[in-house]
Amino acid sequence: MKPTVCVLGAGRMGSSIARALLSHGYDTRVWNRTAAKCEPLASQGAQIAPSVVDGIQGADVVIINVLDYVASSALLKQGNVLSVLAGKTVVQLTSGSPRLAKEEATWVGSHGASYLDGAIMATPDFIGRPEATLLYSGPREVFETHKDLLTTLGGGTSYVGDVPGQASALDTALLTQMWGGFFGALQGMAVVEAENLSLETFRHQLTAFKPVVDGALCNLIDRTKARRFAGDDATLASLGAHYSAFRHLLEVCEEQSLDASLPNVMDRFFRQALSLEGPEGDFASLAPLFRENLTVAPSLEPANA
Ligand code: NAD
């Protein structure tokens, strides 16, 4: 039998979550700080819970999706809510840090409820679609018990580990890569327009270049995993070749009076890696600069071979 679900928070994401559950026949109750936001969901079959405690009391699974953990904690840590948490499964889909997720897991567990922490790698319009990825961490058995329900929110539903903060950590890592790409695109657009090219051309060529970049990204991850920082026959482009091309960016920034804050930081990393690994190093030789515990393996060949 399908569990009854309570969704706390009917903002953009919470409403999409509730809609996906309703479309799969889940008995869904919704609560929102401003009740009016629940009304469109009521017309699709949701029951509006008059209070958080009422919503939780009638549900097997409580999905939380509010702005942040401060708001989420304030909802759960009300005296009357504490008394109805035991035996429930709390699925936290509010964005938070790994530390907050671990603290919340401990707190919820101490009140007799099961806890899963999730990270949504999708916008509300993707919820319920096969392409939507949602990451979960916490006790595997809790994930397995509710896998059918969780999969209704996205076909790419994945369990990533038993430490509650691991989904949030992966979320942060994936978003970091996204922001890196976005910042790079902003810098690239400045170059494109300064050199009288259209953004449409940039967009088109960026899309065409994407498979090459995606392949190089995976290669970077694989080499870092294997600690293969020295250049070798499988190196796609040496650090020296990367740096030579990168210097064109510094030159354009100077010539066109573009902001060079970001390229200057990248330049510092390039120079540091070059001083450690030499121009024949692999691009992956930059990886140890981002953490202390990853030592640079000695080069297999002299830097100027
Ligand atoms: P939203 O602004 O549309 O909704 C925020 C919700 O939080 C509303 O229901 C609001 O009533 C509630 N809220 C805010 N402060 C509250 C408080 N003090 N007490 C009770 N409720 C409170 O935001 P959203 O886009 O739906 O995002 C919700 C969560 O989902 C966030 O943690 C966000 O990071 C995460 N998320 C959003 C997206 C997205 O694309 N929108 C993607 C991934 C994750």
Side-chain angles (χ1 to χ4, degrees):
M1 206 176 108
K2 286 182 169 168
T4 300
V5 191
C6 169
V7 180
L8 299 177
R12 290 174 189 84
M13 188 56 87
S15 294
S16 282
I17 291 169
R19 272 195 298 274
L21 293 168
L22 288 165
S23 72
H24 282 83
Y26 283 91
D27 180 354
T28 306
R29 47 201 69 199
V30 286
W31 174 90
N32 194 70
R33 190 174 48 169
T34 327
K37 279 198 182 173
C38 297
E39 277 159 20
L41 296 167
S43 66
Q44 291 167 52
Q47 289 177 49
I48 302 181
S51 66
V52 174
V53 73
D54 279 311
I56 295 179
Q57 214 159 20
D60 305 304
V61 177
V62 180
I63 296 181
I64 310 176
N65 185 261
V66 289
L67 185 64
D68 55 24
Y69 268 63
V70 174
S72 158
S73 287
L75 295 183
L76 291 183
K77 291 178 184 170
Q78 305 172 56
N80 54 353
V81 172
L82 299 183
S83 61
V84 295
L85 270 181
K88 312 288 179 189
T89 296
V90 175
V91 179
Q92 177 60 275
L93 287 178
T94 302
S95 299
S97 67
R99 176 183 60 81
L100 289 169
K102 284 179 218 162
E103 287 173 7
E104 187 103 328
T106 305
W107 186 86
V108 169
S110 72
H111 289 84
S114 307
Y115 183 82
L116 267 185
D117 202 84
I120 307 171
M121 309 312 302
T123 45
D125 51 326
F126 273 82
I127 297 302
R129 287 167 48 179
E131 312 93 293
T133 292
L134 287 93
L135 311 172
Y136 292 94
S137 55
R140 184 182 272 280
E141 63 276 14
V142 179
F143 174 79
E144 294 297 339
T145 301
H146 297 291
K147 197 171 173 182
D148 287 349
L149 182 155
L150 300 174
T151 305
T152 62
L153 305 183
T157 290
S158 296
Y159 177 78
V160 298
D162 58 1
V163 178
Q166 284 175 320
S168 293
L170 193 51
D171 178 40
T172 301
L174 292 167
L175 291 176
T176 302
Q177 204 283 323
M178 179 191 81
W179 291 315
F182 282 3
F183 273 105
L186 292 167
Q187 189 83 47
M189 286 192 282
V191 171
V192 159
E193 292 199 312
E195 297 287 347
N196 295 317
L197 285 152
S198 74
L199 291 185
E200 200 183 358
T201 301
F202 181 60
R203 189 183 191 280
H204 177 73
Q205 294 302 340
L206 195 67
T207 307
F209 189 35
K210 200 171 173 293
V212 176
V213 176
D214 286 349
L217 259 177
C218 290
N219 182 269
L220 174 64
I221 296 167
D222 293 345
R223 288 194 73 112
T224 302
K225 180 169 177 270
R227 307 309 194 234
R228 282 172 62 201
F229 301 136
D232 54 34
D233 288 348
T235 288
L236 297 171
S238 68
L239 201 55
H242 271 286
Y243 189 58
S244 166
F246 171 77
R247 285 210 309 245
H248 303 147
L249 171 61
L250 296 176
E251 196 181 300
V252 175
C253 287
E254 172 134 19
E255 277 174 19
Q256 301 285 1
S257 303
L258 303 178
D259 188 281
S261 318
L262 207 56
N264 284 337
V265 174
M266 292 156 77
D267 186 50
R268 179 169 63 77
F269 277 106
F270 262 127
R271 284 170 185 271
Q272 214 177 332
L274 282 163
S275 73
L276 289 167
E277 200 63 39
E280 288 305 315
D282 191 274
F283 190 84
S285 62
L286 283 151
L289 306 180
F290 289 78
R291 47 202 151 140
E292 282 172 9
N293 62 353
L294 197 60
T295 50
V296 183
S299 292
L300 297 176
E301 298 166 32
N304 56 357

